[in-house]
Amino acid sequence: MKPNTLILGASGTGKSSSIRNLPKDTTIIFNTERKTLPFREGKDFKMNFAIHNYAQFEKAFDKALKSDKITHIVVESLTSLIEMIDEHAERITGGGFDKWALYNTTLAEVFKKSKSSLDKYVFMISIDQVIETSEGIAERYAVVQGNRWKKSIEKEFVNVLYSTVEEKDGDFKYVFLTNKNSKYSNVSAKTPLDLAPEYIPNDLDLFQKRCEKYFETDEKLESIDIYL
């Protein structure tokens, strides 16, 4: 199975632009935000589809997972997809306990499908939010409706890349943090042991190639030359 990946971070930190170098002809984008992709190469993605509701997404997602013409699936964004699932559950049940039961099972099914694909890389993009612990520590996790999935979405993904902007000598770079460190101890970034250095370029195509070497071959991973 291919490892699924959550791209998490604040608005404006380069989450959406990180998909720019994925293969244009075999990447499908479920554009639940229904916005123009924020990079010049966006027009070259032929399978960039606006998604208006959960029923439309479910049908298209299932079809994409079975298609032999698709290698990469991008959900842009999980944040708005969760809002669609919330609306879907409300409409079907009318609210109350039944709504949250349907909401929880529906979201669980989406995650199950995302991590069960045999031949496709699934990337989901999410805004983060600050959640305070009982000790008053501010931690950052994916935005979610209700309590069932609060601080829990990240466990459904093999990789959680935290998007951020780092500065060195007056030069600003959009990068991904791959695991917690002393500077970012409150974020939920994670990747398998030795998959990637602490910081990597903001480029999901490069990251996916590292995953291929790590999970599918015995070839030694080459170091990524970045400024940090």
Side-chain angles (χ1 to χ4, degrees):
M1 291 181 288
K2 302 290 187 181
N4 60 348
T5 300
L6 177 67
I7 300 93
L8 181 65
S11 179
T13 54
K15 297 184 302 298
S16 299
S17 62
S18 68
I19 72 176
R20 64 193 179 279
N21 291 324
L22 291 177
K24 308 296 190 296
D25 295 330
T26 59
T27 296
I28 187 168
I29 301 170
F30 293 118
N31 194 337
T32 58
E33 296 282 349
R34 302 186 294 281
K35 295 180 180 178
T36 300
L37 297 176
F39 48 89
R40 186 173 299 167
E41 301 88 345
K43 64 183 184 303
D44 298 326
F45 284 90
K46 306 305 181 186
M47 293 185 286
N48 175 21
F49 298 119
I51 300 296
H52 298 272
N53 54 62
Y54 174 70
Q56 181 189 13
F57 170 82
E58 181 182 33
K59 182 178 179 180
F61 191 47
D62 288 346
K63 186 176 180 179
L65 287 168
K66 296 175 182 177
S67 173
D68 58 4
K69 298 180 180 179
I70 293 171
T71 58
H72 299 69
I73 298 173
V74 176
V75 178
E76 167 55 324
S77 66
L78 176 60
T79 307
S80 56
L81 175 61
I82 287 175
E83 292 172 354
M84 289 179 181
I85 292 173
D86 182 68
E87 294 168 359
H88 170 78
E90 177 76 27
R91 184 172 62 255
I92 295 297
T93 65
F97 176 81
D98 289 342
K99 171 204 167 175
W100 290 112
L102 179 58
Y103 167 86
N104 290 332
T105 57
T106 301
L107 192 51
E109 185 64 19
V110 170
F111 292 142
K112 178 181 177 181
K113 291 175 181 178
S114 79
K115 59 187 176 183
S116 301
S117 176
L118 296 176
D119 60 350
K120 293 168 181 55
Y121 285 93
V122 179
F123 301 99
M124 296 192 178
I125 298 171
S126 175
I127 292 287
D128 69 344
Q129 64 178 335
V130 176
I131 300 176
E132 287 195 4
T133 67
S134 57
E135 292 78 24
I137 300 172
E139 298 179 324
R140 306 193 73 95
Y141 290 90
V143 170
V144 66
Q145 310 293 326
N147 293 320
R148 161 66 178 83
W149 292 99
K150 186 179 294 184
K151 299 174 65 172
S152 296
I153 284 180
E154 289 79 1
K155 71 179 178 59
E156 302 296 326
F157 293 85
V158 175
N159 304 306
V160 178
L161 302 178
Y162 191 80
S163 63
T164 185
V165 184
E166 293 294 307
E167 184 269 339
K168 183 178 181 181
D169 299 329
D171 185 24
F172 292 88
K173 295 287 186 179
Y174 292 88
V175 296
F176 285 136
L177 177 70
T178 64
N179 284 284
K180 293 181 180 182
N181 60 21
S182 58
K183 181 178 179 180
Y184 293 99
S185 60
N186 65 334
V187 304
S188 48
K190 65 173 184 177
T191 53
L193 182 65
D194 297 328
L195 170 61
E198 188 175 57
Y199 292 96
I200 61 173
N202 180 285
D203 187 334
L204 286 179
D205 185 59
L206 286 177
F207 179 71
Q208 175 253 315
K209 287 180 171 59
R210 292 190 71 87
C211 287
E212 286 181 351
K213 291 182 179 181
Y214 185 91
F215 288 103
E216 300 175 15
T217 75
D218 294 326
E219 182 178 350
K220 184 178 179 180
L221 291 175
E222 297 177 358
S223 62
I224 293 181
D225 182 20
I226 59 175
Y227 79 106
L228 293 175

